[in-house]
Amino acid sequence: FLRRHEGQSGIVYCLSRRKTEETAAFLEEHGIRALAYHAGMTKEAREANQNAFMTLSGIVMVATIAFGMGIDKPDVAFVFHTDLPGSLEAYYQEIGRAGRDGRAAEAHMLFGLGDIRMRRLFIEEEDASPEHKRRSHARLDTLIGYCEAAQCRRQVLLSYFGERSAPCGSCDNCLEQPP
């Protein structure tokens, strides 16, 4: 995936600080300019990495969800999730950081049963009311439904927010449909 976007700016979202650091180091070792960003870094290190990402092109920011609010870099060509986001709303917000220059952008997400189990555990360990936990599980179920959908992902995503769309013709489901 990243080789297809060589020389382009992008964001890779990871669930944990450790995975963020490990992924940035892995990408660097493989010749991809990557920087880490997470809440466990010093303020100075976070600011330095964010400034480099915002001012230079061709850098991949590997980050937790601590990165993103207020990020309006026009040439972000892709967003890659190494783990399942917390909700469809979070996913929509995070992928919305790509393609702000009007060019085609790509979003890719990896997830598995371990991600679902981890998200469910996070919800259960929250100090929250049973009703809040029920709503959190329902939001997670909606995201899983999106991930497992067989129809156009754009249609599913926009439908969730009350909008209608024709099939996009470019998501994995549209491209893999038989003619």
Side-chain angles (χ1 to χ4, degrees):
F1 178 89
L2 291 177
R3 290 287 179 223
R4 282 199 325 265
H5 293 284
E6 202 160 342
Q8 295 178 315
S9 297
I11 303 170
V12 174
Y13 281 106
C14 300
L15 185 58
S16 71
R17 295 172 182 181
R18 188 180 100 211
K19 189 170 184 179
T20 298
E21 295 283 345
E22 290 171 354
T23 302
F26 175 83
L27 295 177
E28 281 287 328
E29 289 169 13
H30 288 84
I32 296 170
R33 293 172 56 199
L35 299 171
Y37 187 102
H38 58 76
M41 298 170 63
T42 66
K43 181 181 179 195
E44 294 77 22
R46 282 194 317 269
E47 286 177 356
N49 287 358
Q50 181 173 332
N51 287 339
F53 178 74
M54 294 299 291
T55 58
L56 303 171
S57 52
I59 293 182
V60 175
M61 182 63 83
V62 183
T64 61
I65 60 170
F67 181 77
M69 294 306 288
I71 299 301
D72 190 16
K73 180 176 171 71
D75 68 340
V76 174
F78 64 88
V79 172
F80 189 101
H81 285 82
T82 64
D83 306 283
L84 194 64
S87 66
L88 195 56
E89 293 91 338
Y91 179 69
Y92 183 72
Q93 182 182 45
E94 291 159 6
I95 65 172
R97 292 186 173 77
R100 292 188 177 185
D101 57 3
R103 294 183 184 163
E106 190 172 358
H108 193 87
M109 179 187 356
L110 303 176
F111 81 101
L113 188 55
D115 291 307
I116 297 168
R117 189 174 19 247
M118 181 71 71
R119 287 290 178 187
R120 296 244 186 257
L121 184 64
F122 286 169
I123 293 167
E124 288 306 314
E125 290 180 347
E126 278 184 85
D127 183 21
S129 70
E131 178 59 22
H132 177 80
K133 289 180 182 183
R134 186 193 64 72
R135 285 192 310 270
S136 295
H137 280 295
R139 282 193 298 275
L140 180 57
D141 291 341
T142 299
L143 177 61
I144 294 166
Y146 168 80
C147 293
E148 295 176 345
Q151 74 186 82
C152 172
R153 294 205 190 275
R154 178 179 168 84
Q155 285 183 310
V156 174
L157 190 58
L158 292 179
S159 173
Y160 177 76
F161 292 103
E163 296 182 35
R164 292 182 173 249
S165 170
C168 70
S170 60
C171 72
D172 59 331
N173 288 337
C174 285
L175 294 173
E176 294 174 14
Q177 293 293 325

